[in-house]
Amino acid sequence: MPYRCSACGNRTRFDVVATRRTRAFHHYSLGGELTVEEEEVLEERVEEVSCRWCGAAGSAIEEIEDVAPAGGEPVANTAEGGS
Ligand SMILES: [Zn+2]
C-alpha cells in the first residue's frame, strides 16, 4: 500500500525499514559466484517508514488506499444515480 507524508505531501520517496523472510534459489557457479533466482517473499513486516523529503516518521506517514485496484476481485458495479 502506498504511503503519504502528511507533513510535506510527499508520496513517492520513503525510507522503509522492514523485516523480510524469503525463500530463494541460490545458484552458485563452480567458481563460487552467487546468483539469486526465484526469490519469494514469505513474510514482510514494515517496522519504520520515514519521509525522504522532510524526515518525518511515525504518525506523520499515513498509508493511503491504492488508487487503482491491482487485480483481485472485480469491483461490483454499484450505480448511484448519475447519467
Ligand atoms: Zn515529508
Side-chain angles (χ1 to χ4, degrees):
M1 195 169 288
Y3 300 108
R4 179 181 176 279
C5 175
S6 62
C8 73
N10 166 36
R11 288 173 59 170
T12 56
R13 303 276 194 277
F14 297 94
D15 276 327
V16 178
V17 178
T19 304
R20 279 181 156 194
R21 212 155 63 87
T22 62
R23 176 173 53 216
F25 171 31
H26 282 206
H27 181 179
Y28 293 92
S29 73
L30 291 178
E33 198 169 312
L34 170 64
T35 303
V36 178
E37 299 177 16
E38 297 173 20
E39 187 172 39
E40 181 188 351
V41 178
L42 303 176
E43 193 183 321
E44 183 175 37
R45 194 156 40 97
V46 176
E47 292 172 4
E48 191 188 314
V49 182
S50 57
C51 176
R52 291 285 298 196
W53 287 2
C54 72
S59 60
I61 309 298
E62 48 195 37
E63 285 189 10
I64 58 177
E65 297 292 326
D66 257 311
V67 181
E73 293 176 32
V75 179
N77 187 13
T78 51
E80 293 182 50
S83 51

